Amino acid sequence: MPTAPRSTTPAPAPLPPAAPSLTERRKAETQLEIARAAAALFAERGSAVTADDIARSAGVALRTFYRYFRTKEDAVAPLLAVGVRQWLADLRRTAAEAEAAGRSVRDVLERAARQALTPSDERAAEALRWTRGLLRAMRDDPALRAVWHRVHHDSEEALIPVLAGLTDGGPAEVRLAAAAANTAMRVAVETWAAEGEGDGEGEGEAGDPAELVGRGMRALTAGLSGLDRRRTAERHA
């Protein structure tokens, strides 16, 4: 079968993505500050929290709150999304570090998941505590649960291209791997939140979401053979 002739002129290098503008950075910072206030209030008071409560706690006008968020439950999404971005960043970094050592994609996934659920500083530990409080508040708040599941759906979609660049598995196996990894993360945090009562330290597995996610990741990805090997240079090219 004839093929289209290849150009001998090198393709121009892609331009780097434009840095966010000052306005965009300020908007993102404001959204995250409101999200932190919302998460802390939901963790403390549950579904009784109002949009006005969140706005006052964040130090913004109610109209500013509604400029960024449609509902009080939507306000927690940016904080949850930060966790997703950190998990993906950990995965990319762990993959780059593991490439020279020849580790499997399965090992990379587990290491990144454990790292994502092991707070590196007090601010990260606080965000994880807020997430635990949010999950407890979700028991009586379907709208808050909907935000949680939406964020995890977006996380699964974001995982697909990352995993596609790491493994030789076909499209179906990559999607299954993304679903398995995402589910392991979600179930680990939900189990930790449900079982780690009182001061949140808990006993055994309930007090260690990193251990929970490691076990879950191994169990859910056990049948995905594509995760035992890395993508070959020929296919990566």
Side-chain angles (χ1 to χ4, degrees):
M1 179 184 296
T3 59
R6 295 184 179 181
S7 172
T8 57
T9 304
L15 295 174
S21 67
L22 179 59
T23 299
E24 290 171 331
R25 292 198 303 273
R26 285 175 175 168
K27 178 180 178 180
E29 289 167 2
T30 300
Q31 286 179 316
L32 192 54
E33 285 303 313
I34 295 173
R36 291 191 183 106
L41 288 172
F42 274 116
E44 178 185 350
R45 304 181 195 173
S47 59
V49 172
T50 67
D52 192 45
D53 292 334
I54 297 170
R56 285 202 308 271
S57 179
V60 300
L62 186 59
R63 66 178 179 276
T64 301
F65 175 91
Y66 281 117
R67 186 184 308 149
Y68 292 119
F69 303 107
R70 186 171 56 85
T71 68
K72 64 180 184 179
E73 292 85 6
D74 283 337
V76 304
L79 184 65
L80 298 176
V82 166
V84 170
R85 288 195 296 273
Q86 184 60 55
W87 146 235
L88 292 176
D90 288 342
L91 177 57
R92 292 187 184 96
R93 183 173 58 253
T94 303
E97 293 170 352
E99 187 169 4
R103 296 193 186 108
S104 69
V105 180
R106 191 188 314 280
D107 182 53
V108 168
L109 271 173
E110 182 179 340
R111 286 169 180 260
R114 284 177 173 274
Q115 185 171 345
L117 294 183
T118 304
S120 57
D121 53 34
E122 178 53 34
R123 189 159 193 172
E126 184 178 46
L128 200 54
R129 289 193 296 269
W130 283 339
T131 300
R132 182 188 61 217
L134 282 172
L135 285 164
R136 291 175 180 171
M138 286 175 196
R139 297 168 183 168
D140 304 314
D141 193 330
L144 206 54
R145 287 200 302 274
V147 173
W148 172 251
H149 289 295
R150 186 177 75 233
V151 168
H152 273 277
H153 174 269
D154 293 344
S155 171
E156 185 175 317
E157 290 297 311
L159 267 171
I160 291 171
V162 177
L163 291 177
L166 297 177
T167 176
D168 271 332
E173 190 168 36
V174 168
R175 290 194 70 91
L176 282 170
N182 189 62
T183 299
M185 291 286 284
R186 178 178 59 79
V187 171
V189 178
E190 289 176 350
T191 302
W192 170 69
E195 297 181 3
E197 299 293 344
D199 62 4
E201 294 302 319
E203 296 292 338
E205 289 181 350
D208 189 356
E211 178 59 28
L212 284 169
V213 78
R215 291 187 60 201
M217 195 75 72
R218 291 192 297 274
L220 292 176
T221 64
L224 300 174
S225 59
L227 298 182
D228 292 324
R229 58 187 184 273
R230 300 188 64 82
R231 193 173 189 184
T232 63
E234 291 78 12
R235 287 191 60 180
H236 189 67

